[in-house]
Amino acid sequence: MEYIDHLKNIGIVPTKEFFWNLSAPQLISQTLRNGEGIIASSGALACDTGEFTGRSPKDKYVVKDEKTADSIWWGEINHPFLPEDFDRLYDRVASHLSYKDIYIKDVYACAKSEYRLNIRVITENPWQSLFANNLFLRPSEKELETFTHEWLILAAPSFKADPKIDKTLQHNFTIINFTKKVILIGGSAYTGEIKKGIFTVLNYLLPHEKNVLSMHCSANIGTEGDTAVFFGLSGTGKTTLSADPSRKLIGDDEHGWDDDHVFNFEGGCYAKCYGLSREKEPQIFSAIRYGTLLENIRFLEGTDIVDYENVSVTENTRAAYPIEFIDNAILPSIGGIPNNIFFLTCDAFGVLPPISKLTVGQAMYHFISGYTAKVAGTEAGITEPQTTFSACFGKPFLPLHPTKYAELLGKKLKDNKVNVWLINTGWSGGAYGTGERIKLAYTRAMIAAVLEKKFENADFTMDDVFGLHIPLQCDGVPSEILNPKNTWTDQSKYDEMALGLAAKFTENFKDFESFAGQEIINGGPVLQSK
């Protein structure tokens, strides 16, 4: 079948040029020719995403039909969209793309072949196509000859929806149709919508239809073949702690866990760039070279050298590159069943221990909670840390109820006797402003002790408020900091702060309590403020 027939079959009747599966160098050249990007001194292509420099969760919809009506977790995350409204909007977007130069990229998701999801990504901009090339897995030339897509993404940044006609909230939108296997993106050129659209799809298909746990996490593998998984929200150290030169990277963001393996969904990384330096993140810094896409960065004045401290456009500056650009990436991106799982939290209240071991019930509870805290900013009136809870460490991307993922996690933990550790990379000796941030060297030493099996016969004590099991000793870490209460000068203040945080956990969990089993409920704080 001719390329033009493939396009007509999906409703696009091209009147301008269309470019099918251009290579990365061709997409870069086309971007430069269009005046849409600049080459940085590193060789990377720098582009701006325009009006939107991040995802817009309130403008993300799921088509509500027979397939999804009773399975999707409807509410603040998944907004319902009528099938007939989707069909009308789809036709309008396809017609819009018929009058644009378009770039078609055939890629796939899931490194483990039995879950492979073939995706056709059609975009208006060549650098969006480069993003798809870099972030998804890349078929071989031979595979491309017979490639057929299962899922279709239409990304039309210059198409502005009319809320009155199109039933959207505003002019931008991301709509997932699980029955027709289409993701429709309009009004935003932010490429993260493409990446997280497919992640949301996999977060539905794998747990709901294949009994595979989908995870928003990073993963690496040691020389002995031991797999470690790291969950954590922004600012908790997930990227830093999983990028270990002595271990190979499986992936930095999205994975599945079936009966035998942990496998990467992606073929690349979408790394945050703010504050990036060769000293702090040598692997990421070195990955930014020819073929990498940089988004929304700015240069040192009068040069083509990227100023990673400049956040005048957005703090969400990004680099998108193939995983092969990381020196110690393992290919294919597959590891065994995890031996250890780390939940990373930056507790700015100074309450949680720097390391503690979780029971299965606690692991499910803390997984559903997805807790971290952000430090007080410069905003007037904010004098203490702000709690952040994101279910399963990825609430915006969960099409199913969080307890579905937590129960699947719990079963896998029991079946495989996996150790789960809560790591606090935040404060000790007091809350932010009084205490001090736990040294990165100590956190690395604690994670190394776990990976080297040094806690297998260790003695533990139990925390009074959260019921966490705290090791009494750890090589390379002062014993006095392991129990956080001991680091506070005023221990009654610690008790007050700990009870306050426990109450915040309990309040957050009320949204999930009616769906959760007793084992998960019992995993919460053992003491609460009255």
Side-chain angles (χ1 to χ4, degrees):
M1 190 189 288
E2 292 295 324
Y3 287 148
I4 199 160
D5 292 329
H6 284 294
L7 293 173
K8 285 179 178 176
N9 281 347
I10 58 174
I12 297 173
V13 183
T15 60
K16 293 201 169 184
E17 287 193 272
F18 58 92
F19 303 89
W20 209 285
N21 286 323
L22 295 187
S23 65
Q26 288 172 319
L27 291 167
I28 292 165
S29 296
Q30 195 75 23
T31 302
L32 298 174
R33 196 174 300 127
N34 294 353
E36 295 173 15
I38 301 168
I39 296 291
S41 61
S42 62
L45 176 68
C47 298
D48 283 357
T49 62
E51 179 186 0
F52 291 92
T53 57
R55 289 178 300 100
S56 186
K58 68 181 184 300
D59 300 300
K60 183 178 175 183
Y61 307 88
V62 176
V63 173
K64 188 173 185 177
D65 56 18
E66 281 184 21
K67 183 179 179 70
T68 59
D70 297 326
S71 53
I72 294 290
W73 179 37
W74 302 109
E76 62 167 321
I77 299 301
N78 299 295
H79 309 110
F81 206 79
L82 291 175
E84 56 268 30
D85 292 335
F86 176 86
D87 291 344
R88 186 174 58 251
L89 183 52
Y90 179 95
D91 290 343
R92 279 167 43 76
V93 171
S95 174
H96 173 86
L97 290 172
S98 297
Y99 294 93
K100 299 284 181 183
D101 288 351
I102 54 172
Y103 299 82
I104 302 100
K105 198 73 187 171
D106 291 332
V107 291
Y108 67 97
C110 295
K112 194 164 179 183
S113 58
E114 51 260 59
Y115 309 110
R116 175 170 171 160
L117 195 74
N118 279 0
I119 308 157
R120 178 158 290 158
V121 185
I122 300 181
T123 63
E124 285 186 61
N125 307 105
W127 52 270
Q128 287 181 293
S129 199
L130 178 65
F131 174 88
N133 174 78
N134 289 357
L135 260 292
F136 294 114
L137 289 149
R138 293 158 287 282
S140 66
E141 289 297 321
K142 188 165 179 55
E143 287 173 324
L144 285 174
E145 290 172 13
T146 56
F147 187 95
T148 55
H149 71 275
E150 184 177 353
W151 274 79
L152 174 69
I153 300 176
L154 299 186
S158 68
F159 178 91
K160 310 281 190 198
D162 181 338
K164 287 180 184 167
I165 298 171
D166 298 314
K167 312 300 184 190
T168 55
L169 188 64
Q170 50 187 25
H171 67 265
N172 62 298
F173 55 87
T174 297
I175 309 171
I176 301 175
N177 190 324
F178 282 98
T179 298
K180 296 198 168 179
K181 301 185 177 180
V182 173
I183 301 175
L184 205 55
I185 302 169
S188 171
Y190 181 64
T191 53
E193 298 284 11
I194 297 171
K195 167 185 158 71
K196 290 305 186 188
I198 287 296
F199 186 43
T200 303
V201 167
L202 291 168
N203 277 336
Y204 180 88
L205 296 178
L206 293 181
H208 189 61
E209 298 179 3
K210 310 277 190 185
N211 205 36
V212 173
L213 178 62
S214 52
M215 306 180 291
H216 190 210
C217 66
S218 58
N220 63 28
I221 189 165
T223 52
E224 312 258 316
D226 59 303
T227 297
V229 168
F230 299 80
F231 290 92
L233 302 177
S234 180
T236 60
K238 177 166 67 95
T239 303
T240 303
L241 293 166
S242 61
D244 183 338
S246 67
R247 298 173 66 83
K248 289 191 175 295
L249 183 72
I250 298 171
D252 79 330
D253 199 44
E254 302 173 7
H255 294 83
W257 177 4
D258 68 2
D259 290 341
D260 304 302
H261 298 100
V262 165
F263 57 94
N264 197 349
F265 290 165
E266 302 184 292
C269 304
Y270 194 39
K272 286 188 174 177
C273 292
Y274 176 42
L276 183 65
S277 69
R278 191 184 297 277
E279 295 68 40
K280 283 196 291 188
E281 302 284 358
Q283 292 173 318
I284 295 172
F285 193 89
S286 298
I288 297 176
R289 56 184 195 253
Y290 182 77
T292 294
L293 173 66
L294 286 169
E295 291 181 348
N296 301 313
I297 55 84
R298 288 297 176 261
F299 299 102
L300 293 169
E301 195 170 348
T303 76
D304 57 3
I305 299 167
V306 177
D307 179 2
Y308 290 115
E309 300 297 328
N310 188 327
V311 290
S312 58
V313 179
T314 176
E315 284 194 17
N316 191 35
T317 52
R318 294 273 183 169
Y321 48 84
I323 198 166
E324 294 91 325
F325 283 19
I326 294 286
D327 290 338
N328 67 336
I330 186 168
L331 296 170
S333 306
I334 301 172
I337 289 167
N339 303 68
N340 293 284
I341 293 174
F342 299 96
F343 293 166
L344 305 175
T345 182
C346 176
D347 176 29
F349 296 97
V351 165
L352 294 176
I355 183 168
S356 52
K357 192 173 185 182
L358 305 182
T359 64
V360 172
Q362 288 171 334
M364 289 191 283
Y365 182 93
H366 282 271
F367 186 61
I368 284 178
S369 299
Y371 163 72
T372 193
K374 293 181 178 174
V375 297
T378 54
E379 200 176 319
I382 295 182
T383 56
E384 63 173 40
Q386 307 291 302
T387 53
T388 300
F389 293 98
S390 184
C392 309
F393 299 95
K395 187 177 179 181
F397 322 116
L398 302 183
L400 306 174
H401 194 278
T403 51
K404 297 276 187 192
Y405 305 94
E407 285 162 2
L408 196 47
L409 173 70
K411 183 175 189 310
K412 288 183 175 296
L413 296 180
K414 289 174 184 171
D415 290 350
N416 299 286
K417 297 183 170 55
V418 182
N419 297 314
V420 183
W421 307 84
L422 183 65
I423 303 286
N424 175 18
T425 62
W427 270 255
S428 179
Y432 171 78
T434 304
E436 292 182 359
R437 187 98 191 240
I438 295 164
K439 290 180 180 175
L440 179 59
Y442 293 162
T443 303
R444 288 195 191 280
M446 289 182 266
I447 288 173
V450 169
L451 297 176
E452 291 163 19
K453 303 181 181 176
K454 290 182 178 175
F455 290 131
E456 283 194 353
N457 299 305
D459 293 321
F460 289 78
T461 186
M462 197 168 89
D463 154 66
D464 291 337
V465 178
F466 288 88
L468 304 170
H469 295 82
I470 305 167
L472 297 179
Q473 288 183 309
C474 177
D475 289 354
V477 181
S479 297
E480 59 269 20
I481 77 159
L482 293 173
N483 190 326
K485 187 170 181 175
N486 296 339
T487 66
W488 283 57
T489 309
D490 185 341
Q491 296 198 350
S492 65
K493 283 271 189 201
Y494 169 84
D495 291 337
E496 185 184 324
M497 190 71 82
L499 288 169
L501 182 58
K504 288 182 167 123
F505 267 85
T506 304
E507 182 62 30
N508 173 71
F509 197 75
K510 283 179 182 173
D511 290 343
F512 312 108
E513 206 161 22
S514 61
F515 297 89
Q518 198 57 46
E519 186 176 20
I520 298 177
I521 293 168
N522 291 346
V526 292
L527 285 179
Q528 297 162 33
S529 55
K530 298 288 184 271

